[in-house]
Amino acid sequence: MEYLKSLRSLFLIPQQWLHMRCVRHCTSSHNKSITLDTFKTRLASGPSFQEFVKGISHNKIPVANDGYTDKHAYLSEDSDLGNSRKVCFETYGCQMNVNDTEIAWSILQKKGYQRTDDLNEADVVLLVTCSIREKAEQTIWNRLQQLTAMKRKRLKTHIPMKIGILGCMAERLKTELLEREKLVDVLAGPDAYRDLPRLLAVAQAGHQASNVLLSLEETYADVMPVHHAPQGYSAFVSIMRGCDNMCSYCIVPFTRGRERSRPVSSIVEEVRMLSDQGVKEVTLLGQNVNSYRDTSEEQFCGSDLTQLSRGFRTVYRTKRGGLRFADLLDRVSCIDPDMRVRFTSPHPKDFPDEVLHLVEERRNICKQIHLPAQSGSTQVLTAMRRGYTREAYLDLVENIKRIIPGVSLSSDFISGFCGETEEDHQQTLSLIREVGYNVGFLFAYSMRNKTHAFHRLQDDVPAEVKQQRLEELISVFREEAARVNNSLIGTTQLILVEGESKRSASELCGRSDGNVKVIFPKEDVTVQPADSNTAPINPGDYVLVKILSANSQSLRGRALSHSSLRDTDTQNQSLRGRALSHSSLRDTDTQNQSLRGRALSHSSLRDTDTRNQSLPSPQLDGQVASV
């Protein structure tokens, strides 16, 4: 009991303290009122907002590339340097990923990294990935398991290997890659390659690092890609990034973001540099390459509406102003008349007549157009949100063939899309027969998360039906391609030589103007008209090849002469079935009339208008498609 009394005394509050508490509370309320009035008075008579921002331009910190800076307060100035560490790239998927590899390597090279193709000596392995279909992603998962096993072995004997995922898969599967599987050290989305040195520095310190933010502005316009093609005769040039079409099956808008175009001046500069290096062919790249629209300069920002192919529409509001694809194609084709120009991948909606007429007029713009159809059924095309009907597509094909006689056409097709019936499938087969493509990329539908189809449609075609329809598409495609290629037997094609044939060191291979693979014996051919001097054929040379046989995927022939684009404007029409000699395109403008029945000379791309004879052969891998 005494113990409880002592505890009670501890909780008793003296009377004078209660009085003091009341006084303090009342005084505090009174003072608070005075302070608030004083603050309001001072605020009314104090400095304005303009006073706060006055002189800010004098203290402005310079920032490169529209807000990007590679300075980070938590890293020392030299912590993001490569210090001669070796990086190995493995590139999967489309040509855009090839270009992304060149951009990423350009950035890392400037930071002191070295490049290697030998995994055993690599300190960093970067996989440039694709998410367009499930099979592509599964390939990367399998590769990561292999690299992780190699990484564990390296821990005992070598500097730890760092593994990074770049590109579309990094953006789409960031949580699974970093948190669930814990297979990678670095993730960098398509718009985060500038951040690679910092990400690798963080990973080197033992942490995982990720940047998969998409950008509305990033085009890497000021980054000059380091082209890594072994022969160096051909190069890809990215002209725009992202896509606004929002086709219901496609993941690209969600992994690469909205459309934005690289300034035309930057593109022209890169193409001119490649020409100076001796590159003979450039391919302009973009997810929707022919919707290019440069608004980087004020004089380009007009109010005229973007022109679409007749009968086509978009899911977005019609865009205004800017330098269009025809303007860019015009400027690029004028840089070097002896350099072939291709472009991929276009959308059928963006082929106004001005583009088609330009392709027809310029000798060095290849007379080959990729025209992705995806389906031959209007019902399926509507579900795909493609923006056209079967009839509109066929009208476009007719218009293209009318403006560009002898044009080569290639396409993409998807089998087993949501709701596709057997009748829809038969309409696709009939479209393939009616158009007559030379090259095709066909694959079974694979639903992707985030897409419109994932949220709104049912993937209701059984896998075995998809595969059966795919095999039927491939079979019909090959039949038609063989028919088209057989029509080229006896013609002479201007070929850009790529190198030795994969099957025989005694044969060479190259591609025609229409992107057909052509194989011919490795042998010396004459250099000049009426000249007995001969010269060997090397990668990067243009040669005239007489076609002797054909199948659905390639042509075979015999090299007759060196050549160039410049001087064989009408050569093919007069040389059917006759032996040719080396010439240059500069010197064969009227060659056909004077060389009937005689050996002709080498020529180059500048002067060889081969559009009517060069139809590409099909390259079907059965499961692959380009988007």
Side-chain angles (χ1 to χ4, degrees):
M1 196 67 181
E2 290 296 328
Y3 174 71
L4 292 176
K5 288 181 180 180
S6 63
L7 284 178
R8 180 173 179 272
S9 64
L10 290 175
F11 292 97
L12 290 177
I13 301 175
Q15 292 295 321
Q16 64 271 25
W17 285 17
L18 291 174
H19 175 70
M20 290 176 61
R21 180 173 177 271
C22 180
V23 171
R24 288 178 180 175
H25 175 73
C26 297
T27 304
S28 175
S29 299
H30 177 69
N31 290 341
K32 191 178 293 185
S33 177
I34 295 174
T35 303
L36 184 59
D37 292 339
T38 303
F39 174 74
K40 289 181 177 180
T41 302
R42 291 181 178 178
L43 183 63
S45 59
S48 65
F49 175 74
Q50 285 71 21
E51 294 294 326
F52 284 98
V53 299
K54 181 186 292 185
I56 195 169
S57 59
H58 300 297
N59 302 318
K60 187 175 182 180
I61 299 174
V63 177
N65 190 47
D66 297 331
Y68 177 84
T69 175
D70 59 0
K71 302 299 182 184
H72 303 278
Y74 57 89
L75 295 176
S76 60
E77 289 190 4
D78 61 350
S79 64
D80 62 351
L81 296 179
N83 295 321
S84 297
R85 282 192 293 161
K86 294 183 178 180
V87 58
C88 177
F89 287 92
E90 293 187 4
T91 305
Y92 301 82
C94 65
Q95 297 96 327
M96 283 296 296
N97 283 358
V98 175
N99 185 256
D100 279 7
T101 301
E102 295 167 348
I103 290 172
W105 171 228
S106 177
I107 292 168
L108 292 179
Q109 186 182 53
K110 290 180 180 179
K111 288 294 185 178
Y113 284 85
Q114 295 181 1
R115 186 164 183 176
T116 180
D117 293 326
D118 186 354
L119 270 177
N120 293 319
E121 64 179 25
D123 301 300
V124 179
V125 180
L126 299 177
L127 309 185
V128 186
T129 62
C130 173
S131 278
I132 197 65
R133 55 199 172 93
E134 185 176 354
K135 184 179 178 181
E137 289 185 351
Q138 189 57 50
T139 299
I140 300 300
W141 285 116
N142 295 340
R143 186 56 174 155
L144 283 175
Q145 296 291 346
Q146 298 169 2
L147 292 174
T148 301
M150 182 182 295
K151 180 179 179 180
R152 292 194 186 103
K153 294 179 182 179
R154 285 269 298 269
L155 286 173
K156 303 175 182 178
T157 60
H158 199 279
I159 299 174
M161 175 194 290
K162 300 300 179 184
I163 301 174
I165 294 290
L166 312 186
C168 297
M169 194 168 168
E171 198 286 330
R172 199 181 92 80
L173 297 174
K174 45 190 174 290
T175 302
E176 289 85 343
L177 288 165
L178 278 181
E179 299 176 9
R180 184 188 307 169
E181 302 295 339
K182 301 185 184 299
L183 295 177
V184 301
D185 304 289
V186 169
L187 285 181
D191 294 341
Y193 299 146
R194 293 180 191 272
D195 203 23
L196 267 177
R198 181 191 69 84
L199 296 174
L200 289 173
V202 173
Q204 188 66 17
H207 307 285
Q208 289 182 316
S210 172
N211 184 348
V212 293
L213 295 176
L214 294 177
S215 170
L216 291 174
E217 300 175 350
E218 181 63 87
T219 61
Y220 299 105
D222 60 331
V223 177
M224 192 60 66
V226 178
H227 299 280
H228 198 61
Q231 297 90 354
Y233 63 86
S234 180
F236 296 115
V237 177
S238 176
I239 69 169
M240 55 89 70
R241 301 179 73 84
C243 183
D244 289 345
N245 291 322
M246 300 299 291
C247 298
S248 62
Y249 56 84
C250 187
I251 192 65
V252 168
F254 304 97
T255 58
R256 288 189 171 267
R258 300 291 299 275
E259 282 185 17
R260 61 272 188 203
S261 297
R262 182 177 169 188
V264 66
S265 57
S266 171
I267 299 168
V268 168
E269 178 186 359
E270 182 177 349
V271 174
R272 185 173 287 116
M273 180 197 72
L274 293 171
S275 174
D276 293 341
Q277 293 175 358
V279 170
K280 294 294 185 68
E281 179 181 89
V282 293
T283 302
L284 306 180
L285 291 180
Q287 265 78 31
N288 186 179
V289 67
N290 53 340
S291 71
Y292 175 87
R293 192 174 66 97
D294 177 17
T295 58
S296 62
E297 298 184 29
E298 187 175 352
Q299 62 266 31
F300 300 161
C301 300
S303 58
D304 53 319
L305 295 173
T306 299
Q307 298 298 312
L308 301 179
S309 307
R310 287 187 291 274
F312 288 69
R313 64 184 185 278
T314 65
V315 298
Y316 53 81
R317 183 178 301 175
T318 304
K319 298 175 182 179
R320 294 179 178 270
L323 278 180
R324 308 292 166 71
F325 183 64
D327 301 310
L328 173 66
L329 201 57
D330 174 37
R331 299 188 186 196
V332 168
S333 64
C334 289
I335 293 172
D336 183 354
D338 228 7
M339 175 189 280
R340 273 180 173 170
V341 179
R342 301 186 187 275
F343 54 89
T344 196
S345 178
H347 190 288
K349 68 178 173 59
D350 293 304
F351 276 112
D353 287 357
E354 61 176 350
V355 171
L356 301 177
H357 283 297
L358 185 64
V359 172
E360 163 63 18
E361 293 166 4
R362 297 294 164 84
R363 296 169 185 162
N364 62 334
I365 301 178
C366 293
K367 309 304 179 284
Q368 183 259 332
I369 289 179
H370 188 59
L371 206 62
Q374 307 301 356
S375 175
S377 164
T378 296
Q379 176 179 311
V380 175
L381 291 171
T382 301
M384 289 179 168
R385 305 175 80 191
R386 289 291 288 173
Y388 53 85
T389 62
R390 173 192 174 97
E391 292 72 25
Y393 182 89
L394 288 173
D395 287 345
L396 175 61
V397 169
E398 182 180 355
N399 192 46
I400 291 173
K401 291 182 176 182
R402 177 181 59 82
I403 295 176
I404 312 173
V407 65
S408 300
L409 297 178
S410 58
S411 192
D412 301 338
F413 286 94
I414 298 173
S415 70
F417 185 69
C418 304
E420 182 187 71
T421 65
E422 181 62 27
E423 182 181 352
D424 295 326
H425 172 61
Q426 292 300 322
Q427 289 182 29
T428 300
L429 294 176
S430 71
L431 182 76
I432 294 173
R433 293 189 179 98
E434 185 168 350
V435 174
Y437 303 101
N438 311 96
V439 178
F441 301 87
L442 304 93
F443 63 98
Y445 175 63
S446 174
M447 181 170 277
R448 304 283 79 195
N449 292 350
K450 298 184 179 180
T451 62
H452 178 86
F454 177 80
H455 292 290
R456 302 291 181 87
L457 302 177
Q458 294 294 321
D459 188 9
D460 53 1
V461 180
E464 60 273 17
V465 175
K466 291 180 182 179
Q467 188 61 34
Q468 177 187 345
R469 291 176 181 175
L470 175 61
E471 292 171 0
E472 291 179 11
L473 288 178
I474 293 173
S475 177
V476 172
F477 217 111
R478 285 178 171 163
E479 289 175 8
E480 292 304 309
R483 179 182 59 80
V484 172
N485 289 342
N486 282 327
S487 70
L488 299 177
I489 295 175
T491 68
T492 300
Q493 302 294 312
L494 182 66
I495 308 303
L496 176 58
V497 181
E498 296 179 345
E500 289 185 354
S501 169
K502 292 181 179 180
R503 296 188 177 182
S504 173
S506 64
E507 293 181 320
L508 297 172
C509 68
R511 292 193 178 274
S512 69
D513 180 89
N515 208 24
V516 185
K517 185 177 182 179
V518 181
I519 302 169
F520 51 94
K522 183 191 294 185
E523 55 189 6
D524 294 355
V525 290
T526 58
V527 179
Q528 296 293 334
D531 191 345
S532 59
N533 293 330
T534 62
I537 302 173
N538 299 309
D541 287 348
Y542 287 115
V543 294
L544 291 166
V545 176
K546 183 177 180 180
I547 305 304
L548 303 175
S549 64
N551 59 34
S552 64
Q553 300 189 36
S554 63
L555 306 173
R556 283 187 171 271
R558 192 174 194 88
L560 303 172
S561 70
H562 284 281
S563 184
S564 74
L565 274 177
R566 191 172 285 176
D567 303 317
T568 51
D569 192 20
T570 58
Q571 194 171 21
N572 285 333
Q573 287 74 16
S574 63
L575 294 176
R576 290 178 179 268
R578 287 181 284 117
L580 303 180
S581 68
H582 284 68
S583 70
S584 72
L585 282 177
R586 293 174 187 155
D587 307 320
T588 53
D589 195 20
T590 57
Q591 197 170 14
N592 294 330
Q593 289 72 22
S594 62
L595 293 176
R596 289 182 177 272
R598 291 181 286 121
L600 302 184
S601 67
H602 284 67
S603 65
S604 78
L605 265 180
R606 285 181 185 163
D607 307 306
T608 311
D609 187 0
T610 60
R611 53 186 169 266
N612 290 329
Q613 284 71 35
S614 54
L615 297 171
S617 60
Q619 300 166 2
L620 308 174
D621 75 2
Q623 308 297 324
V624 177
S626 60
V627 176

